[in-house]
Amino acid sequence: MSATFLGMPGNFPKNSARAVQDSQLRYNLRKATHTIRGKRASVVGELPDWQELRAAGKAIKDETLRHLDRYLVQLEETVTAAGGHVHWARDAAEANRIVAGLVKATGEREVVKVKSMATQEIGLNEALAAEGITAYETDLAELIVQLGDDFPSHILVPAIHRNRAEIREIFLDRMDDAPPGLTDEPAALAEAARVHLRERFLRSKVAVSGANFMVAETGTLVVLESEGNGRMCLTLPETLISVVGIEKVLPTWRDLEVFLQLLPRSSTGERMNPYTSTWTGSAEGQDFHLVLLDNGRTDVLADEVGRQALRCIRCSACLNVCPVYERAGGHAYGSVYPGPIGAILTPQLRGMGSELDASLPYASSLCGACYDVCPVAIDIPEVLVDLRAKAPHGAAERAGMRVAGWVLNDQARLAAAQRAAGRLRRLVPRRLPGPLSAWTDTRDLPGIPEESFRDWWEREG
């Protein structure tokens, strides 16, 4: 993966500091996330066995990751037996080369796309454009982002930071066939998008998709969606290319039943998603290619604490309850994966060599709300703490930790330090100087008591 998503600069503290000054953005985020989280809570509350379903999802994913090599080989065999073609991509560059080569082989110069986080992760649209191939997004929110030359900011609703009036302006400005009298009513906006996309669907010979799940037992791929654009892309074109992360595999068809209950409730707050499309190999003469994407996933798998991030089914429930995401928005994370899951997945996929990626494990209050709603029980706070320990730390911070360790490691030294702090408490500034100022930029420095608890206990006891 590249150092930053689509060249976004800075680090999370700087990006979020800018974002919180945008009152319209904060209003849009608050309204959307509270609506989705309310719907989720309602439909999850209907199931008396929700926690059992959650445990089953976690167990299936853990079993799959333990034997990922075996299930991937089985998947390749079943897809190939069904007439499909399987390609293995070590990284983003290799995946982009494979897809571009497959499109060129058809002689076509444009593709339609189903919403896919994996293709965003590798920058496929930009890579295809460099080869003279135009990619058209067909998901409504992705279309809004593409037409507005914008960045996605949410896993489920990429244009969550836009309101209806802003979307209307984008359509009128960038959509050639938008009706002049277009209003910002949802039905009118959806109809304008439908008319705009219909011609793309009918003329395009090549489609690119991702997949929510892949079933090793049968070679079946599964896409869940709400608009029907995905099914148009999956069925009409003569060539279908699916780029899917290797962690999306499930062992058996029966396992799918668990996730078809977990995902809709956790993502859109629905009992069942409107469209569930499944296909196995090359159906009805369609030429099908599956590109299995690693791009850092095997490195994540090797980490005993961090590997649980690969259980993620991209439901976005953690984003909708996160107080940090609600205020900062998705762009502050500088990655296709925003929110709590992005704060643990992106640094593992990309490493923490950049200022941005090293800052992401700190993009959390560690309140634990993300873990409570995760349908596959990813302990995001645990991974965040582990990544913070692995992140690069400045010389001043390392020196401070060594001094703190020296004091805290000895009872007499700790007692002496507490007494000294109590006597000098009036000299302690409300805002700390130098490198320590980062702490008091966003927090109040706790008051130092006149007497330590140890001394009080000794005197009163």
Side-chain angles (χ1 to χ4, degrees), residues 150-207:
D150 202 353
F151 305 142
S153 65
H154 190 276
I155 288 175
L156 176 68
V157 193
I160 196 172
H161 55 288
R162 298 289 192 182
N163 61 28
R164 296 182 337 196
E166 291 173 314
I167 294 169
R168 173 184 175 274
E169 292 303 316
I170 290 172
F171 280 12
L172 288 173
D173 183 50
R174 303 299 298 274
M175 192 184 285
D176 294 338
D177 48 4
L182 180 66
T183 70
D184 65 359
E185 288 301 312
L189 295 172
E191 178 61 20
R194 187 179 297 114
V195 171
H196 176 73
L197 290 172
R198 187 171 294 135
E199 175 63 24
R200 309 274 191 228
F201 289 134
L202 293 176
R203 78 172 186 231
S204 295
K205 304 297 184 183
V206 182

Tab-separated table of all heavy atoms in Angstrom, residues 150-207:
chain	number	residue	atom	x	y	z
A	150	ASP	N	-13.527	13.422	-4.790
A	150	ASP	CA	-13.457	13.394	-3.338
A	150	ASP	C	-12.820	12.091	-2.863
A	150	ASP	O	-12.444	11.233	-3.672
A	150	ASP	CB	-14.885	13.542	-2.780
A	150	ASP	CG	-14.937	14.053	-1.366
A	150	ASP	OD1	-13.880	14.177	-0.734
A	150	ASP	OD2	-16.053	14.325	-0.881
A	151	PHE	N	-12.711	11.939	-1.545
A	151	PHE	CA	-12.223	10.721	-0.934
A	151	PHE	C	-13.364	10.041	-0.178
A	151	PHE	O	-14.161	10.731	0.473
A	151	PHE	CB	-11.109	10.999	0.085
A	151	PHE	CG	-9.953	11.778	-0.449
A	151	PHE	CD1	-9.324	12.730	0.342
A	151	PHE	CD2	-9.474	11.559	-1.722
A	151	PHE	CE1	-8.249	13.454	-0.130
A	151	PHE	CE2	-8.390	12.278	-2.210
A	151	PHE	CZ	-7.787	13.227	-1.410
A	152	PRO	N	-13.476	8.714	-0.218
A	152	PRO	CA	-14.444	8.031	0.641
A	152	PRO	C	-14.117	8.304	2.117
A	152	PRO	O	-12.945	8.434	2.483
A	152	PRO	CB	-14.250	6.553	0.303
A	152	PRO	CG	-13.563	6.540	-1.019
A	152	PRO	CD	-12.715	7.762	-1.062
A	153	SER	N	-15.156	8.375	2.941
A	153	SER	CA	-14.907	8.668	4.357
A	153	SER	C	-15.594	7.703	5.300
A	153	SER	O	-15.582	7.903	6.512
A	153	SER	CB	-15.367	10.100	4.681
A	153	SER	OG	-16.763	10.228	4.528
A	154	HIS	N	-16.206	6.658	4.763
A	154	HIS	CA	-16.911	5.682	5.593
A	154	HIS	C	-16.903	4.363	4.847
A	154	HIS	O	-16.949	4.338	3.616
A	154	HIS	CB	-18.344	6.161	5.849
A	154	HIS	CG	-19.101	5.383	6.884
A	154	HIS	ND1	-19.772	4.216	6.596
A	154	HIS	CD2	-19.310	5.631	8.206
A	154	HIS	CE1	-20.373	3.779	7.700
A	154	HIS	NE2	-20.093	4.620	8.687
A	155	ILE	N	-16.849	3.258	5.570
A	155	ILE	CA	-16.780	1.941	4.935
A	155	ILE	C	-18.080	1.606	4.218
A	155	ILE	O	-18.081	1.140	3.074
A	155	ILE	CB	-16.447	0.862	5.985
A	155	ILE	CG1	-14.978	1.004	6.421
A	155	ILE	CG2	-16.715	-0.534	5.449
A	155	ILE	CD1	-14.575	0.072	7.538
A	156	LEU	N	-19.198	1.853	4.866
A	156	LEU	CA	-20.492	1.508	4.289
A	156	LEU	C	-21.054	2.631	3.420
A	156	LEU	O	-21.620	2.390	2.354
A	156	LEU	CB	-21.490	1.179	5.411
A	156	LEU	CG	-22.915	0.880	4.970
A	156	LEU	CD1	-22.971	-0.428	4.194
A	156	LEU	CD2	-23.850	0.826	6.183
A	157	VAL	N	-20.924	3.876	3.884
A	157	VAL	CA	-21.498	5.040	3.200
A	157	VAL	C	-20.355	5.993	2.854
A	157	VAL	O	-20.073	6.923	3.606
A	157	VAL	CB	-22.538	5.746	4.086
A	157	VAL	CG1	-23.357	6.738	3.260
A	157	VAL	CG2	-23.447	4.748	4.784
A	158	PRO	N	-19.668	5.770	1.737
A	158	PRO	CA	-18.463	6.553	1.424
A	158	PRO	C	-18.670	8.058	1.386
A	158	PRO	O	-17.741	8.821	1.634
A	158	PRO	CB	-18.047	6.015	0.051
A	158	PRO	CG	-18.650	4.650	-0.034
A	158	PRO	CD	-19.929	4.736	0.716
A	159	ALA	N	-19.904	8.491	1.074
A	159	ALA	CA	-20.190	9.934	0.990
A	159	ALA	C	-20.945	10.431	2.212
A	159	ALA	O	-21.719	11.388	2.132
A	159	ALA	CB	-20.973	10.243	-0.277
A	160	ILE	N	-20.718	9.807	3.357
A	160	ILE	CA	-21.451	10.159	4.566
A	160	ILE	C	-21.211	11.611	4.980
A	160	ILE	O	-22.027	12.223	5.669
A	160	ILE	CB	-21.052	9.204	5.721
A	160	ILE	CG1	-22.062	9.278	6.867
A	160	ILE	CG2	-19.637	9.475	6.202
A	160	ILE	CD1	-21.832	8.230	7.947
A	161	HIS	N	-20.092	12.183	4.544
A	161	HIS	CA	-19.759	13.561	4.911
A	161	HIS	C	-20.489	14.587	4.042
A	161	HIS	O	-20.357	15.795	4.273
A	161	HIS	CB	-18.246	13.779	4.784
A	161	HIS	CG	-17.697	13.433	3.434
A	161	HIS	ND1	-17.577	12.139	2.987
A	161	HIS	CD2	-17.237	14.214	2.421
A	161	HIS	CE1	-17.073	12.136	1.759
A	161	HIS	NE2	-16.862	13.386	1.391
A	162	ARG	N	-21.261	14.135	3.066
A	162	ARG	CA	-22.007	15.028	2.190
A	162	ARG	C	-23.491	15.022	2.565
A	162	ARG	O	-24.054	13.959	2.851
A	162	ARG	CB	-21.872	14.593	0.734
A	162	ARG	CG	-20.468	14.626	0.184
A	162	ARG	CD	-19.987	16.046	-0.009
A	162	ARG	NE	-18.763	16.100	-0.800
A	162	ARG	CZ	-18.109	17.219	-1.075
A	162	ARG	NH1	-18.571	18.380	-0.621
A	162	ARG	NH2	-17.000	17.195	-1.784
A	163	ASN	N	-24.125	16.192	2.507
A	163	ASN	CA	-25.571	16.235	2.686
A	163	ASN	C	-26.258	16.337	1.329
A	163	ASN	O	-25.608	16.423	0.276
A	163	ASN	CB	-25.981	17.385	3.616
A	163	ASN	CG	-25.582	18.756	3.074
A	163	ASN	OD1	-25.479	18.954	1.870
A	163	ASN	ND2	-25.340	19.703	3.971
A	164	ARG	N	-27.598	16.340	1.336
A	164	ARG	CA	-28.348	16.286	0.080
A	164	ARG	C	-28.088	17.503	-0.801
A	164	ARG	O	-27.979	17.382	-2.035
A	164	ARG	CB	-29.846	16.188	0.382
A	164	ARG	CG	-30.220	14.914	1.094
A	164	ARG	CD	-31.706	14.768	1.377
A	164	ARG	NE	-32.458	16.011	1.421
A	164	ARG	CZ	-33.682	16.114	1.944
A	164	ARG	NH1	-34.258	15.048	2.464
A	164	ARG	NH2	-34.308	17.271	1.950
A	165	ALA	N	-27.982	18.661	-0.188
A	165	ALA	CA	-27.746	19.876	-0.984
A	165	ALA	C	-26.392	19.819	-1.683
A	165	ALA	O	-26.265	20.215	-2.856
A	165	ALA	CB	-27.824	21.102	-0.087
A	166	GLU	N	-25.381	19.304	-0.985
A	166	GLU	CA	-24.047	19.193	-1.588
A	166	GLU	C	-24.059	18.183	-2.732
A	166	GLU	O	-23.419	18.390	-3.775
A	166	GLU	CB	-23.040	18.784	-0.523
A	166	GLU	CG	-22.772	19.858	0.519
A	166	GLU	CD	-21.907	19.350	1.654
A	166	GLU	OE1	-22.166	18.249	2.165
A	166	GLU	OE2	-20.958	20.060	2.035
A	167	ILE	N	-24.794	17.088	-2.554
A	167	ILE	CA	-24.872	16.063	-3.599
A	167	ILE	C	-25.565	16.628	-4.839
A	167	ILE	O	-25.139	16.385	-5.978
A	167	ILE	CB	-25.612	14.817	-3.067
A	167	ILE	CG1	-24.790	14.156	-1.954
A	167	ILE	CG2	-25.876	13.824	-4.196
A	167	ILE	CD1	-25.535	13.098	-1.186
A	168	ARG	N	-26.628	17.388	-4.626
A	168	ARG	CA	-27.321	18.024	-5.758
A	168	ARG	C	-26.368	18.908	-6.552
A	168	ARG	O	-26.341	18.855	-7.797
A	168	ARG	CB	-28.503	18.849	-5.243
A	168	ARG	CG	-29.184	19.698	-6.318
A	168	ARG	CD	-30.286	20.551	-5.726
A	168	ARG	NE	-30.858	21.446	-6.725
A	168	ARG	CZ	-30.373	22.648	-7.021
A	168	ARG	NH1	-29.286	23.107	-6.371
A	168	ARG	NH2	-30.942	23.392	-7.951
A	169	GLU	N	-25.555	19.686	-5.862
A	169	GLU	CA	-24.620	20.578	-6.550
A	169	GLU	C	-23.582	19.778	-7.334
A	169	GLU	O	-23.202	20.165	-8.459
A	169	GLU	CB	-23.929	21.496	-5.535
A	169	GLU	CG	-24.853	22.513	-4.891
A	169	GLU	CD	-25.549	23.385	-5.914
A	169	GLU	OE1	-24.879	23.847	-6.872
A	169	GLU	OE2	-26.773	23.599	-5.790
A	170	ILE	N	-23.115	18.678	-6.774
A	170	ILE	CA	-22.146	17.831	-7.481
A	170	ILE	C	-22.772	17.270	-8.752
A	170	ILE	O	-22.162	17.274	-9.833
A	170	ILE	CB	-21.663	16.696	-6.557
A	170	ILE	CG1	-20.777	17.246	-5.438
A	170	ILE	CG2	-20.895	15.636	-7.358
A	170	ILE	CD1	-20.417	16.224	-4.382
A	171	PHE	N	-24.011	16.777	-8.658
A	171	PHE	CA	-24.675	16.208	-9.829
A	171	PHE	C	-24.860	17.260	-10.919
A	171	PHE	O	-24.612	17.004	-12.106
A	171	PHE	CB	-26.031	15.622	-9.427
A	171	PHE	CG	-25.952	14.255	-8.802
A	171	PHE	CD1	-24.734	13.721	-8.393
A	171	PHE	CD2	-27.092	13.502	-8.616
A	171	PHE	CE1	-24.655	12.464	-7.824
A	171	PHE	CE2	-27.035	12.230	-8.056
A	171	PHE	CZ	-25.813	11.711	-7.653
A	172	LEU	N	-25.320	18.443	-10.539
A	172	LEU	CA	-25.552	19.487	-11.533
A	172	LEU	C	-24.251	19.945	-12.190
A	172	LEU	O	-24.226	20.268	-13.388
A	172	LEU	CB	-26.255	20.680	-10.879
A	172	LEU	CG	-27.724	20.470	-10.501
A	172	LEU	CD1	-28.243	21.665	-9.719
A	172	LEU	CD2	-28.571	20.231	-11.750
A	173	ASP	N	-23.176	19.934	-11.407
A	173	ASP	CA	-21.899	20.430	-11.921
A	173	ASP	C	-21.155	19.393	-12.748
A	173	ASP	O	-20.492	19.732	-13.735
A	173	ASP	CB	-21.031	20.895	-10.741
A	173	ASP	CG	-19.716	21.499	-11.200
A	173	ASP	OD1	-19.752	22.380	-12.087
A	173	ASP	OD2	-18.659	21.102	-10.671
A	174	ARG	N	-21.263	18.100	-12.368
A	174	ARG	CA	-20.392	17.088	-12.969
A	174	ARG	C	-21.124	16.016	-13.777
A	174	ARG	O	-20.486	15.235	-14.457
A	174	ARG	CB	-19.578	16.402	-11.857
A	174	ARG	CG	-18.750	17.356	-11.010
A	174	ARG	CD	-17.712	18.109	-11.849
A	174	ARG	NE	-16.775	17.216	-12.453
A	174	ARG	CZ	-15.665	16.767	-11.851
A	174	ARG	NH1	-15.380	17.173	-10.617
A	174	ARG	NH2	-14.844	15.944	-12.465
A	175	MET	N	-22.435	15.947	-13.680
A	175	MET	CA	-23.190	14.916	-14.375
A	175	MET	C	-23.831	15.533	-15.613
A	175	MET	O	-24.768	16.339	-15.509
A	175	MET	CB	-24.249	14.321	-13.439
A	175	MET	CG	-24.902	13.054	-13.950
A	175	MET	SD	-26.215	12.497	-12.826
A	175	MET	CE	-25.249	11.811	-11.480
A	176	ASP	N	-23.356	15.164	-16.795
A	176	ASP	CA	-23.790	15.805	-18.037
A	176	ASP	C	-25.288	15.684	-18.278
A	176	ASP	O	-25.908	16.591	-18.857
A	176	ASP	CB	-23.035	15.215	-19.230
A	176	ASP	CG	-21.545	15.541	-19.188
A	176	ASP	OD1	-21.189	16.528	-18.512
A	176	ASP	OD2	-20.765	14.809	-19.817
A	177	ASP	N	-25.877	14.558	-17.857
A	177	ASP	CA	-27.288	14.331	-18.150
A	177	ASP	C	-28.187	14.616	-16.949
A	177	ASP	O	-29.331	14.158	-16.907
A	177	ASP	CB	-27.505	12.892	-18.634
A	177	ASP	CG	-26.829	11.868	-17.735
A	177	ASP	OD1	-26.250	12.263	-16.699
A	177	ASP	OD2	-26.874	10.670	-18.070
A	178	ALA	N	-27.693	15.364	-15.962
A	178	ALA	CA	-28.529	15.724	-14.824
A	178	ALA	C	-29.615	16.690	-15.261
A	178	ALA	O	-29.339	17.644	-16.002
A	178	ALA	CB	-27.684	16.357	-13.720
A	179	PRO	N	-30.862	16.476	-14.845
A	179	PRO	CA	-31.945	17.396	-15.235
A	179	PRO	C	-31.723	18.781	-14.644
A	179	PRO	O	-31.341	18.905	-13.484
A	179	PRO	CB	-33.196	16.726	-14.655
A	179	PRO	CG	-32.693	15.818	-13.580
A	179	PRO	CD	-31.338	15.373	-14.005
A	180	PRO	N	-31.954	19.840	-15.405
A	180	PRO	CA	-31.695	21.205	-14.917
A	180	PRO	C	-32.459	21.549	-13.645
A	180	PRO	O	-31.979	22.292	-12.802
A	180	PRO	CB	-32.135	22.090	-16.089
A	180	PRO	CG	-32.105	21.202	-17.284
A	180	PRO	CD	-32.426	19.830	-16.804
A	181	GLY	N	-33.658	21.018	-13.514
A	181	GLY	CA	-34.469	21.337	-12.341
A	181	GLY	C	-34.299	20.363	-11.196
A	181	GLY	O	-35.201	20.235	-10.351
A	182	LEU	N	-33.174	19.667	-11.137
A	182	LEU	CA	-32.939	18.657	-10.099
A	182	LEU	C	-33.061	19.265	-8.702
A	182	LEU	O	-32.473	20.307	-8.417
A	182	LEU	CB	-31.542	18.051	-10.284
A	182	LEU	CG	-31.128	16.963	-9.288
A	182	LEU	CD1	-32.000	15.722	-9.455
A	182	LEU	CD2	-29.648	16.611	-9.488
A	183	THR	N	-33.818	18.585	-7.845
A	183	THR	CA	-33.940	19.020	-6.452
A	183	THR	C	-33.056	18.142	-5.581
A	183	THR	O	-32.415	17.198	-6.058
A	183	THR	CB	-35.394	18.914	-5.969
A	183	THR	OG1	-35.754	17.521	-5.855
A	183	THR	CG2	-36.335	19.609	-6.933
A	184	ASP	N	-33.032	18.446	-4.281
A	184	ASP	CA	-32.227	17.633	-3.369
A	184	ASP	C	-33.055	16.573	-2.656
A	184	ASP	O	-32.623	16.020	-1.641
A	184	ASP	CB	-31.495	18.518	-2.357
A	184	ASP	CG	-32.447	19.253	-1.431
A	184	ASP	OD1	-33.671	19.103	-1.575
A	184	ASP	OD2	-31.952	19.991	-0.549
A	185	GLU	N	-34.234	16.255	-3.186
A	185	GLU	CA	-35.026	15.170	-2.627
A	185	GLU	C	-34.336	13.839	-2.942
A	185	GLU	O	-33.866	13.636	-4.079
A	185	GLU	CB	-36.438	15.168	-3.214
A	185	GLU	CG	-37.314	16.297	-2.720
A	185	GLU	CD	-37.475	16.258	-1.207
A	185	GLU	OE1	-37.760	15.170	-0.668
A	185	GLU	OE2	-37.291	17.313	-0.567
A	186	PRO	N	-34.264	12.917	-1.973
A	186	PRO	CA	-33.566	11.645	-2.213
A	186	PRO	C	-34.052	10.903	-3.451
A	186	PRO	O	-33.241	10.359	-4.207
A	186	PRO	CB	-33.856	10.852	-0.925
A	186	PRO	CG	-34.048	11.912	0.120
A	186	PRO	CD	-34.725	13.046	-0.583
A	187	ALA	N	-35.368	10.870	-3.670
A	187	ALA	CA	-35.891	10.156	-4.836
A	187	ALA	C	-35.408	10.789	-6.136
A	187	ALA	O	-35.080	10.090	-7.104
A	187	ALA	CB	-37.419	10.134	-4.788
A	188	ALA	N	-35.344	12.120	-6.168
A	188	ALA	CA	-34.888	12.809	-7.378
A	188	ALA	C	-33.411	12.556	-7.625
A	188	ALA	O	-32.984	12.333	-8.773
A	188	ALA	CB	-35.152	14.309	-7.251
A	189	LEU	N	-32.606	12.577	-6.581
A	189	LEU	CA	-31.176	12.320	-6.724
A	189	LEU	C	-30.928	10.882	-7.183
A	189	LEU	O	-30.075	10.615	-8.040
A	189	LEU	CB	-30.465	12.582	-5.395
A	189	LEU	CG	-30.487	14.035	-4.898
A	189	LEU	CD1	-29.910	14.117	-3.480
A	189	LEU	CD2	-29.690	14.934	-5.833
A	190	ALA	N	-31.678	9.942	-6.598
A	190	ALA	CA	-31.517	8.536	-6.985
A	190	ALA	C	-31.913	8.318	-8.442
A	190	ALA	O	-31.259	7.570	-9.170
A	190	ALA	CB	-32.352	7.646	-6.068
A	191	GLU	N	-32.995	8.972	-8.883
A	191	GLU	CA	-33.441	8.827	-10.273
A	191	GLU	C	-32.406	9.405	-11.242
A	191	GLU	O	-32.128	8.823	-12.296
A	191	GLU	CB	-34.787	9.515	-10.468
A	191	GLU	CG	-35.325	9.466	-11.888
A	191	GLU	CD	-35.569	8.049	-12.386
A	191	GLU	OE1	-35.693	7.122	-11.542
A	191	GLU	OE2	-35.626	7.859	-13.622
A	192	ALA	N	-31.813	10.543	-10.875
A	192	ALA	CA	-30.778	11.132	-11.728
A	192	ALA	C	-29.587	10.187	-11.866
A	192	ALA	O	-29.031	10.010	-12.963
A	192	ALA	CB	-30.334	12.471	-11.160
A	193	ALA	N	-29.202	9.566	-10.754
A	193	ALA	CA	-28.091	8.609	-10.798
A	193	ALA	C	-28.463	7.381	-11.614
A	193	ALA	O	-27.648	6.848	-12.383
A	193	ALA	CB	-27.707	8.208	-9.380
A	194	ARG	N	-29.708	6.931	-11.483
A	194	ARG	CA	-30.159	5.744	-12.205
A	194	ARG	C	-30.099	5.974	-13.717
A	194	ARG	O	-29.602	5.127	-14.471
A	194	ARG	CB	-31.590	5.404	-11.755
A	194	ARG	CG	-32.117	4.091	-12.313
A	194	ARG	CD	-33.526	3.798	-11.810
A	194	ARG	NE	-33.538	3.641	-10.368
A	194	ARG	CZ	-34.151	4.470	-9.524
A	194	ARG	NH1	-34.790	5.531	-9.989
A	194	ARG	NH2	-34.129	4.245	-8.238
A	195	VAL	N	-30.587	7.111	-14.149
A	195	VAL	CA	-30.557	7.435	-15.583
A	195	VAL	C	-29.112	7.550	-16.079
A	195	VAL	O	-28.764	7.069	-17.170
A	195	VAL	CB	-31.328	8.745	-15.843
A	195	VAL	CG1	-31.132	9.208	-17.284
A	195	VAL	CG2	-32.812	8.564	-15.539
A	196	HIS	N	-28.273	8.175	-15.265
A	196	HIS	CA	-26.867	8.365	-15.635
A	196	HIS	C	-26.140	7.029	-15.793
A	196	HIS	O	-25.323	6.865	-16.704
A	196	HIS	CB	-26.192	9.216	-14.562
A	196	HIS	CG	-24.718	9.419	-14.768
A	196	HIS	ND1	-24.197	10.248	-15.741
A	196	HIS	CD2	-23.639	8.880	-14.121
A	196	HIS	CE1	-22.881	10.225	-15.689
A	196	HIS	NE2	-22.521	9.403	-14.717
A	197	LEU	N	-26.466	6.077	-14.907
A	197	LEU	CA	-25.734	4.802	-14.895
A	197	LEU	C	-26.284	3.788	-15.897
A	197	LEU	O	-25.561	2.878	-16.303
A	197	LEU	CB	-25.774	4.190	-13.486
A	197	LEU	CG	-24.963	4.916	-12.411
A	197	LEU	CD1	-25.262	4.323	-11.044
A	197	LEU	CD2	-23.468	4.805	-12.707
A	198	ARG	N	-27.547	3.932	-16.283
A	198	ARG	CA	-28.168	2.895	-17.115
A	198	ARG	C	-27.387	2.668	-18.409
A	198	ARG	O	-27.148	1.523	-18.811
A	198	ARG	CB	-29.622	3.286	-17.419
A	198	ARG	CG	-30.402	2.178	-18.131
A	198	ARG	CD	-31.878	2.548	-18.200
A	198	ARG	NE	-32.458	2.572	-16.858
A	198	ARG	CZ	-33.260	3.543	-16.418
A	198	ARG	NH1	-33.535	4.565	-17.202
A	198	ARG	NH2	-33.778	3.484	-15.203
A	199	GLU	N	-26.955	3.740	-19.027
A	199	GLU	CA	-26.196	3.608	-20.269
A	199	GLU	C	-24.876	2.894	-20.028
A	199	GLU	O	-24.428	2.093	-20.860
A	199	GLU	CB	-25.950	4.998	-20.876
A	199	GLU	CG	-25.067	5.002	-22.111
A	199	GLU	CD	-25.668	4.234	-23.266
A	199	GLU	OE1	-26.904	4.085	-23.301
A	199	GLU	OE2	-24.896	3.779	-24.135
A	200	ARG	N	-24.244	3.165	-18.881
A	200	ARG	CA	-22.980	2.482	-18.549
A	200	ARG	C	-23.200	0.971	-18.440
A	200	ARG	O	-22.411	0.170	-18.946
A	200	ARG	CB	-22.439	3.002	-17.219
A	200	ARG	CG	-22.343	4.521	-17.118
A	200	ARG	CD	-21.047	5.039	-17.668
A	200	ARG	NE	-20.868	6.434	-17.337
A	200	ARG	CZ	-20.513	7.368	-18.198
A	200	ARG	NH1	-20.312	7.055	-19.452
A	200	ARG	NH2	-20.351	8.619	-17.808
A	201	PHE	N	-24.269	0.597	-17.737
A	201	PHE	CA	-24.546	-0.827	-17.554
A	201	PHE	C	-24.751	-1.533	-18.893
A	201	PHE	O	-24.249	-2.637	-19.118
A	201	PHE	CB	-25.803	-1.022	-16.699
A	201	PHE	CG	-25.634	-0.673	-15.247
A	201	PHE	CD1	-26.577	0.100	-14.590
A	201	PHE	CD2	-24.549	-1.132	-14.524
A	201	PHE	CE1	-26.446	0.418	-13.251
A	201	PHE	CE2	-24.396	-0.809	-13.185
A	201	PHE	CZ	-25.350	-0.038	-12.549
A	202	LEU	N	-25.489	-0.890	-19.781
A	202	LEU	CA	-25.877	-1.550	-21.033
A	202	LEU	C	-24.725	-1.665	-22.021
A	202	LEU	O	-24.700	-2.603	-22.821
A	202	LEU	CB	-27.047	-0.787	-21.677
A	202	LEU	CG	-28.361	-0.836	-20.893
A	202	LEU	CD1	-29.425	0.032	-21.556
A	202	LEU	CD2	-28.855	-2.270	-20.755
A	203	ARG	N	-23.777	-0.737	-21.981
A	203	ARG	CA	-22.721	-0.770	-22.997
A	203	ARG	C	-21.414	-1.403	-22.516
A	203	ARG	O	-20.580	-1.798	-23.335
A	203	ARG	CB	-22.452	0.626	-23.506
A	203	ARG	CG	-21.618	1.506	-22.590
A	203	ARG	CD	-21.239	2.809	-23.270
A	203	ARG	NE	-20.323	3.592	-22.470
A	203	ARG	CZ	-20.498	4.868	-22.171
A	203	ARG	NH1	-21.578	5.509	-22.608
A	203	ARG	NH2	-19.617	5.521	-21.453
A	204	SER	N	-21.219	-1.500	-21.208
A	204	SER	CA	-19.928	-1.987	-20.698
A	204	SER	C	-19.802	-3.495	-20.857
A	204	SER	O	-20.720	-4.253	-20.521
A	204	SER	CB	-19.757	-1.596	-19.224
A	204	SER	OG	-19.685	-0.193	-19.082
A	205	LYS	N	-18.659	-3.926	-21.332
A	205	LYS	CA	-18.383	-5.346	-21.548
A	205	LYS	C	-17.547	-5.966	-20.423
A	205	LYS	O	-17.398	-7.184	-20.364
A	205	LYS	CB	-17.640	-5.541	-22.868
A	205	LYS	CG	-18.351	-4.972	-24.082
A	205	LYS	CD	-19.676	-5.658	-24.342
A	205	LYS	CE	-20.320	-5.139	-25.626
A	205	LYS	NZ	-21.658	-5.743	-25.851
A	206	VAL	N	-16.987	-5.104	-19.556
A	206	VAL	CA	-16.110	-5.592	-18.472
A	206	VAL	C	-16.554	-4.960	-17.160
A	206	VAL	O	-16.850	-3.756	-17.093
A	206	VAL	CB	-14.628	-5.239	-18.733
A	206	VAL	CG1	-13.743	-5.805	-17.625
A	206	VAL	CG2	-14.187	-5.754	-20.094
A	207	ALA	N	-16.601	-5.769	-16.112
A	207	ALA	CA	-16.938	-5.269	-14.779
A	207	ALA	C	-15.862	-5.704	-13.788
A	207	ALA	O	-15.223	-6.751	-13.960
A	207	ALA	CB	-18.295	-5.793	-14.324
